[in-house]
Amino acid sequence: MGFYDGNNSSPNDYGYGGQSNYGGQNMQENFYEQQSQFSDFTGGFDGGNPVHYSGHGIGAAIYEDVISKAFLFMVVALLITAFAAYTATGPMLPWLVQGNHLFLVFGAEVAIVFISNFAIRKNNAILLGILFTAYSYLTGATLGIILLLYTASSVASVFVITAVLFAIMAVYGTVTKKDLSSIGSICLMGLIGIILVGLVNIFFLRSDMVDMAIAAVGVLIFVGLTAYDTQKIKQSVMYADSSNVLTLALAGAFELYLDFINLFLKLLRLLGKRK
């Protein structure tokens, strides 16, 4: 029996299947929420002379470069995650659900987040790119197990809804002149709240109603964080020059990636149809 057994009513060959409400799925969602809380990739950057964006000239070119690369890297990371999720249903699946292997993967992802912050401060884009790629693949490998619970059509539908919501809020965060710092602070406090409530629900309450309420609030939180983190990328251009554009773009992409994954998981919990 693996970590994802939960309260399964019809286990498959891997001890996984059926209705698992409080096993690995909730633990994994809670885990990725915590990653969003711990990551502050575009803050505290050491290096680069301030560049004041005025809509033209060198500042505008750097701004466009950081923004375009950040979204490009995020899309590439999602493709890596999708590939890993697909391949996780093969030989890797039995290994993941046996023993404490999933906890090892989660531990590796925590380490990647903290090392990534170090790589950003040192302006090491190569190391950050390697870590981001590894994180994307490990995330996909574990997500592949969760996706086995849902029909392919509902997963595809939820992905499209996630992409549309994410795109709307990312555009808003890019074009708005309103300072979203207060919204970001509220969302981060809300994130801490649903993490704590989620842990209590997993280990003590085990309530479907609480679980759905957490998912609904989580959608609102990550919608807000998407706009906030997009604006943070725009603001990070103040610390950009030709030497750190790649690092800033990767850092921003990492935060947006975490927002997308968490938003997808929450919407999947609310709208996904189980097999």
Side-chain angles (χ1 to χ4, degrees):
M1 303 294 284
F3 175 69
Y4 280 87
D5 290 342
N7 298 320
N8 297 345
S9 58
S10 55
N12 60 18
D13 293 339
Y14 301 123
Y16 181 81
Q19 301 297 316
S20 175
N21 293 324
Y22 300 103
Q25 180 175 2
N26 281 17
M27 287 292 290
Q28 185 176 2
E29 289 179 4
N30 203 274
F31 170 79
Y32 288 118
E33 289 165 2
Q34 294 176 55
Q35 297 310 297
S36 292
Q37 178 192 350
F38 294 148
S39 63
D40 186 16
F41 297 131
T42 54
F45 189 85
D46 298 336
N49 298 318
V51 173
H52 299 288
Y53 170 62
S54 60
H56 61 276
I58 295 176
I62 292 177
Y63 167 80
E64 292 173 0
D65 203 16
V66 171
I67 292 292
S68 61
K69 281 186 169 64
F71 283 101
L72 174 62
F73 293 148
M74 190 206 73
V75 171
V76 171
L78 289 175
L79 291 175
I80 293 171
T81 299
F83 171 77
Y86 176 77
T87 58
T89 58
M92 193 175 183
L93 178 59
W95 181 85
L96 281 172
V97 298
Q98 290 173 0
N100 296 319
H101 294 154
L102 274 171
F103 288 108
L104 292 176
V105 173
F106 291 160
E109 290 182 303
V110 171
I112 287 174
V113 169
F114 284 103
I115 298 172
S116 294
N117 279 284
F118 171 80
I120 292 165
R121 289 194 295 270
K122 296 302 181 182
N123 192 23
N124 192 332
I126 295 177
L127 176 59
L128 181 57
I130 293 172
L131 291 170
F132 191 13
T133 301
Y135 189 96
S136 302
Y137 185 84
L138 291 175
T139 298
T142 55
L143 279 179
I145 302 173
I146 284 182
L147 297 183
L148 290 175
L149 286 173
Y150 296 93
T151 64
S153 60
S154 70
V155 170
S157 298
V158 170
F159 180 85
V160 171
I161 294 171
T162 303
V164 171
L165 276 176
F166 182 90
I168 291 172
M169 298 312 297
V171 169
Y172 175 73
T174 301
V175 303
T176 185
K177 297 184 182 302
K178 180 182 178 181
D179 184 2
L180 300 179
S181 298
S182 59
I183 294 177
S185 298
I186 293 172
C187 288
L188 288 173
M189 288 188 291
L191 178 59
I192 295 172
I194 64 171
I195 289 172
L196 295 176
V197 174
L199 289 173
V200 171
N201 194 44
I202 290 170
F203 294 109
F204 300 106
L205 301 178
R206 302 174 69 87
S207 166
D208 284 333
M209 184 177 297
V210 172
D211 185 49
M212 297 301 286
I214 291 172
V217 173
V219 169
L220 297 177
I221 287 173
F222 286 106
V223 163
L225 283 175
T226 297
Y228 169 66
D229 288 334
T230 305
Q231 188 176 78
K232 279 174 60 181
I233 298 173
K234 185 170 66 173
Q235 294 170 344
S236 75
V237 176
M238 289 184 60
Y239 304 96
D241 57 34
S242 58
S243 68
N244 60 25
V245 164
L246 190 58
T247 300
L248 286 172
L250 283 166
F254 209 152
E255 286 199 329
L256 292 177
Y257 170 85
L258 286 170
D259 292 337
F260 189 98
I261 291 296
N262 279 287
L263 182 57
F264 173 73
L265 285 171
K266 295 305 179 188
L267 286 171
L268 188 64
R269 170 68 74 181
L270 290 172
L271 306 176
K273 295 181 180 180
R274 291 177 178 267
K275 293 180 179 178

